[in-house]
Amino acid sequence: MTKRLVQTFDLVVAGGGIAGFCAAVAAARRGLKTCLVHERPVLGGVASSEMRVTVHGAACHHAYARESGIIGEALADERARNHEWINENGWTNSIFDMTLYDIATREPNLTLHLNTPVIDVLMDGGDAIESAPATTAGYYERPACASSRRIAGLRARTLSAETELELRAPLFVDATGDGIVADRAGCGWRMGSEGRAETGELHAPEKASTDTMGNSIHIRARDIGREAPFTAPDWAVKHEDGRFFYEQGRVPHDPRGGYWWIEIGVPWHTIHDNETIRHELTRHALGVWDWMKNRDPKMKEVCRNYALDFIGQVPGKRESRRIYGRHWVNENELQADTVYPDEVGFGGWFIDLHTPGGLLAANSEPASAEGYKHDSEYAAKSYVGPYGFPLRSLIARDVDNLFLAGRCISTTRAALGSLRVMATTGLMGQAVGTAAAIAGRDGLPSLAEDAAKGGPRIRAIQQALLHDGCFLPHVANRDEADLARRARVSASSSAKLFGQSPGEPRNDNGQSSWGAGNRGCAIDQVQGQVIHLAGGVLDRIELLIDNDSTAPVALPLRLVRLERIWDYRRGGAAVVAEQTLSVAPGQDRWVAWELKLTGLPAGTYRIEANPAPGLVWRQLTHIQPGCFAQHHLSPTRLRDRHNGLAFRLSPGQSVYEAANVLSGITRPLSGTNLWRSDAGQGMPQWLDLAWDAPQAVTRVEVTFAGHLLKEVHAEPPFFKDPQTVRDYAIELDGREVLRVTGNHQRRRVHDLPAGSRAGTLRLVVLATNGDPSAAVYEVRCY
């Protein structure tokens, strides 16, 4: 006999992938009685150990663009706990699942229902209406057919417990990926690809179609230390032609697996034919491994001791329904870095639209098919961000109490190519969970109107997101309740930026670096190095250059001012100085550029080395905070390199001062926004906040450096970012009230003893996780 339960919440989130997880945790932490209902036994969705797609985001393509907030907290915890390396897709293990489960379980306002698919939507005042999609426009389109403007509840079934649940709430979040709740509620949606005539997008095809990106399963193999024979079943696909792999963008370069291109969609429907696709993917996955093990002349010997250890059986989907919201995001908005009045998150993955058909198509995803050239025509038109996205795209148009998060949001297919990656969807989830708690009770239609004009409710949501550790590219902390903003700030010491040179101690604790092991960057194309200046005087810049020729080589240089660190325009916002230097033959030469500049505005700049064939700018595997390299993308733009080039500044620049912790921005942007102590003075180091009169301080929130430069794939097992402060204390008027040891998180929140009052608050840094300097982006006091 089926057990039936009715449960009532403030918010019900359907879908426990990264987007739904972040939505539920955000809402619960802000006081909403929240339910997270998820069809699988583990959280994480496509990122879980069932599917094993690793979490990508903006930091793959842009330095210091790592997603923070709840998704950042989860990834930092996972790396600190996990013994496994991240090796692209196929390598997620159960430690990741348990990290998410631990965070969710520790939230007293959050109820989990796992192994529980949503089977129906209950509308307020009538049953949901079924309506089939049409293809008149070329893609699938289902018009709105809601019987009511409000969802009353969801019906779900816990299969392992023979229990049927009725989950009621005034607000709902559809984070199911396929938009199941929105579809059953009668919301309008699209699926497929808009044509270029309709959207005007660079990546839209000439003709609209029902084509979508495909679904994937992943494989993983392990070195067992002895020969591991493999015989594929007779129903597996048999590959005989190496051109399928090596000339069509499906290079099996790693014996361990990690192949996102084991993908199939067209001719099948990614929702309704998912089981057929799963079987076809299994046939092909076994066939790929059979080719590598038994016939591939490049990989056969490499794979000799590798045994297949995992074959996914839950396909991960990239694309299906896109629900109509209050704003329809277009690729052109991402390309233009549109500043939305209701910006609630950011993205920065490239416009990544896989070839429909996947393994059945003539070529793989375009970037892979051309060998991931960093400066091809395709790379240039696909490189976007970091950009913001609006709350209105996360509010359903046709139902008045439904938020959207994840790949089902209101966007064109071309824009989805960037927005769909999981770290970005995690920010969507935190945004709607926060919005539900801050302004959801006022009604979503009025919230959407307020959001469109940048009204008080959206401003409160934005400030709440910043307060909870998120980053918004065009919004800074303006929280009037933050007592720190009224304080005077001083520190025990502050570092100066003198440059970065080979031979300096590495402080990355084993993080991988793009280009690590290379001597340097050939200046046959434009190379750039982002720096920060304190304003005033800059006498000299020196660059470490190799000239392998036998004659002097001319090196054209420019110093350009940038609007922010991701200002990739060649020439930036303005050219400050330019000169051509002569570089004599030889290696390890510090080439001096005598500038004698005065009256420089403080801010972010870039040293641009224009093409000088024969010269090499020495590369580093470490960088000074906020200073990183960029290189040629197109005749008008550069792109990120994720590493550093050697430079020296004279005089040293005071860009890591204590006052930076009140900038309202918690990462490098237009300036470093970081207090960093002088490494030569050792520990402890301290940061003081002083007020003219004693303040009632009941909570202190600190954002340390770390977990920003690169995405999580760069971090080894048991990684704790060396820049994060490990041990610290908080003092009020010279009296220690709190001490923490063993920290690895970037953001920490501490409630102080009741009745605490002080004229001075001191943060004492006792030790970091490896960096010789203490480093703090922000201190807040309430």
Side-chain angles (χ1 to χ4, degrees):
M1 181 176 178
T2 299
K3 182 179 180 180
R4 290 177 171 81
L5 298 174
V6 178
Q7 298 178 341
T8 302
F9 301 92
D10 298 323
L11 176 71
V12 173
V13 180
I18 296 298
F21 164 79
C22 290
V25 172
R29 287 180 175 177
R30 284 203 158 260
L32 293 190
K33 183 182 177 185
T34 304
C35 172
L36 177 56
V37 55
H38 184 44
E39 66 178 350
R40 306 304 307 174
V42 292
L43 296 169
V46 176
S48 74
S49 63
E50 289 191 312
M51 303 184 209
R52 303 193 179 192
V53 178
T54 50
V55 177
H56 277 296
C60 183
H61 302 284
H62 309 280
Y64 290 101
R66 176 96 163 250
E67 295 75 9
S68 50
I70 293 168
I71 183 60
E73 172 191 338
L75 294 178
D77 267 353
E78 185 274 339
R79 282 292 81 197
R81 299 174 181 183
N82 207 330
H83 59 279
E84 286 279 20
W85 290 86
I86 297 175
N87 183 50
E88 258 305 337
N89 299 326
W91 279 69
T92 307
N93 62 12
S94 292
I95 304 300
F96 184 89
D97 304 340
M98 287 297 104
T99 299
L100 302 187
Y101 190 70
D102 175 48
I103 292 172
T105 300
R106 285 189 278 112
E107 293 303 325
N109 288 325
L110 181 54
T111 298
L112 287 178
H113 287 302
L114 301 179
N115 290 303
T116 305
V118 172
I119 58 174
D120 203 1
V121 175
L122 307 174
M123 301 303 292
D124 187 3
D127 294 333
I129 298 173
E130 291 285 341
S131 177
T135 56
T136 308
Y139 43 78
Y140 295 110
E141 183 172 31
R142 207 280 296 276
C145 57
S147 62
S148 167
R149 296 290 304 184
R150 293 187 64 82
I151 298 171
L154 305 182
R155 185 171 289 124
R157 181 173 293 129
T158 305
L159 301 177
S160 58
E162 296 186 13
T163 299
E164 189 168 293
L165 300 169
E166 189 174 304
L167 307 172
R168 292 188 167 267
L171 291 169
F172 297 84
V173 176
D174 188 338
T176 60
D178 286 336
I180 294 169
V181 174
D183 173 63
R184 302 300 187 270
C187 293
W189 52 261
R190 291 182 182 181
M191 180 173 169
S193 184
E194 296 90 352
R196 191 169 302 160
E198 178 182 357
T199 66
E201 296 167 307
L202 282 172
H203 285 80
E206 289 293 335
K207 185 178 179 181
S209 74
T210 59
D211 291 350
T212 63
M213 291 178 279
N215 305 349
S216 285
I217 63 173
H218 299 294
I219 63 173
R220 173 177 178 170
R222 290 185 182 274
D223 186 345
I224 64 171
R226 61 184 185 279
E227 187 172 353
F230 176 77
T231 303
D234 57 9
W235 48 266
V237 173
K238 189 166 186 176
H239 292 286
E240 300 286 0
D241 188 350
R243 291 176 298 179
F244 175 82
F245 297 98
Y246 291 100
E247 296 181 14
Q248 297 179 18
R250 308 180 184 98
V251 179
H253 61 282
D254 192 327
R256 299 170 297 177
Y259 304 130
W260 55 264
W261 43 259
I262 301 178
E263 171 187 359
I264 293 175
V266 176
W268 292 287
H269 191 285
T270 55
I271 298 175
H272 302 309
D273 297 326
N274 192 41
E275 273 301 291
T276 299
I277 292 173
R278 179 199 58 75
H279 175 66
E280 291 299 315
L281 285 169
T282 305
R283 294 178 62 236
H284 280 271
L286 292 169
V288 168
W289 185 244
D290 177 46
W291 161 259
M292 293 171 64
K293 284 285 291 185
N294 298 320
R295 285 181 298 285
D296 186 343
K298 295 185 178 181
M299 293 300 293
K300 181 179 177 181
E301 187 58 34
V302 176
C303 294
R304 177 182 295 275
N305 291 351
Y306 281 82
L308 200 58
D309 187 65
F310 171 80
I311 306 172
Q313 286 297 284
V314 182
K317 296 179 184 176
R318 294 177 175 85
E319 177 184 4
S320 56
R321 299 185 186 100
R322 293 172 281 116
I323 312 303
Y324 287 121
R326 306 292 175 134
H327 179 89
W328 191 250
V329 178
N330 181 291
E331 178 198 348
N332 297 331
E333 297 171 0
L334 310 187
Q335 295 277 7
D337 185 23
T338 299
V339 180
Y340 301 101
D342 54 337
E343 177 176 285
V344 288
F346 72 96
W349 190 255
F350 72 111
I351 305 294
D352 182 11
L353 294 168
H354 291 208
T355 306
L359 288 169
L360 307 183
N363 292 287
S364 181
E365 182 271 327
S368 176
E370 66 178 20
Y372 294 109
K373 295 178 181 177
H374 75 270
D375 59 351
S376 69
E377 180 181 350
Y378 179 79
K381 81 171 187 175
S382 303
Y383 192 73
V384 294
Y387 54 79
F389 58 77
L391 179 64
R392 285 166 293 152
S393 67
L394 313 180
I395 300 175
R397 182 193 69 183
D398 302 317
V399 172
D400 290 342
N401 62 338
L402 180 63
F403 287 103
L404 311 168
R407 58 183 173 83
C408 65
I409 69 164
S410 181
T411 175
T412 64
R413 179 176 184 265
L416 181 71
S418 175
L419 287 162
R420 66 186 175 83
V421 293
M422 284 183 284
T424 307
T425 67
L427 299 182
M428 297 175 192
Q430 185 159 359
V432 298
T434 302
I438 297 293
R441 292 182 179 87
D442 299 327
L444 301 196
S446 62
L447 174 58
E449 292 175 6
D450 179 89
K453 59 187 180 184
R457 278 178 281 179
I458 186 58
R459 292 198 300 271
I461 291 166
Q462 290 170 329
Q463 290 301 314
L465 288 166
L466 295 177
H467 179 272
D468 293 343
C470 292
F471 167 73
L472 301 177
H474 305 100
V475 183
N477 173 21
R478 297 292 181 263
D479 187 352
E480 295 180 359
D482 180 5
L483 299 173
R485 298 186 61 76
R486 303 197 286 270
R488 300 182 305 278
V489 188
S490 59
S492 52
S493 69
S494 295
K496 288 187 176 183
L497 177 62
F498 289 98
Q500 52 196 30
S501 306
E504 294 175 350
R506 288 186 63 171
N507 61 2
D508 59 9
N509 200 24
Q511 282 191 94
S512 62
S513 173
W514 291 5
N518 296 336
R519 184 183 70 182
C521 300
I523 315 179
D524 52 358
Q525 295 178 316
V526 175
Q527 302 290 345
Q529 172 65 45
V530 174
I531 63 174
H532 301 275
L533 301 178
V537 175
L538 179 62
D539 290 334
R540 182 187 309 109
I541 294 176
E542 296 176 84
L543 309 180
L544 188 58
I545 305 292
D546 291 346
N547 180 355
D548 293 333
S549 71
T550 58
V553 176
L555 174 59
L557 296 174
R558 293 198 296 187
L559 178 65
V560 304
R561 182 170 52 82
L562 306 180
E563 291 184 355
R564 59 180 187 168
I565 61 172
W566 305 308
D567 185 346
Y568 295 116
R569 296 171 295 175
R570 287 183 66 171
V575 177
V576 176
E578 55 185 327
Q579 186 175 345
T580 298
L581 305 181
S582 179
V583 181
Q587 294 191 346
D588 295 334
R589 291 187 177 276
W590 283 103
V591 178
W593 183 11
E594 300 294 340
L595 290 161
K596 304 298 182 184
L597 296 173
T598 59
L600 281 174
T604 301
Y605 292 75
R606 181 171 59 232
I607 307 163
E608 289 184 2
N610 286 304
L615 299 185
V616 173
W617 192 346
R618 290 294 297 275
Q619 180 173 277
L620 310 170
T621 57
H622 61 277
I623 66 171
Q624 295 299 313
C627 303
F628 57 93
Q630 298 172 341
H631 62 155
H632 172 81
L633 172 63
S634 74
T636 59
R637 286 199 298 163
L638 284 75
R639 67 178 297 166
D640 182 71
R641 286 193 68 98
H642 272 66
N643 54 16
L645 299 172
F647 71 95
R648 295 196 298 217
L649 304 177
S650 180
Q653 300 292 304
S654 299
V655 295
Y656 301 116
E657 296 296 291
N660 288 343
V661 302
L662 301 185
S663 72
I665 301 169
T666 55
R667 64 183 67 202
L669 191 63
S670 300
T672 68
N673 300 308
L674 178 72
W675 168 62
R676 190 173 191 237
S677 71
D678 183 346
Q681 296 196 24
M683 298 292 172
Q685 293 286 315
W686 50 260
L687 184 75
D688 270 4
L689 278 67
W691 296 273
D692 292 335
Q695 305 289 316
V697 182
T698 59
R699 172 173 286 198
V700 176
E701 303 177 1
V702 185
T703 301
F704 299 116
H707 297 293
L708 287 179
L709 175 62
K710 304 172 187 176
E711 64 176 353
V712 69
H713 298 66
E715 298 175 351
F718 301 124
F719 178 76
K720 298 176 182 179
D721 195 304
Q723 294 177 89
T724 55
V725 170
R726 188 190 71 196
D727 305 331
Y728 59 96
I730 294 174
E731 298 176 357
L732 297 180
D733 290 337
R735 177 175 57 89
E736 184 175 306
V737 295
L738 180 113
R739 180 174 288 242
V740 174
T741 60
N743 174 59
H744 65 268
Q745 282 288 352
R746 180 171 181 265
R747 179 175 174 271
R748 294 299 304 267
V749 176
H750 299 293
D751 290 322
L752 302 185
S756 294
R757 293 182 65 82
T760 303
L761 181 146
R762 174 170 288 186
L763 172 67
V764 183
V765 176
L766 304 169
T768 69
N769 282 295
D771 195 291
S773 294
V776 178
Y777 279 111
E778 183 176 66
V779 178
R780 292 182 180 226
C781 299
Y782 296 93

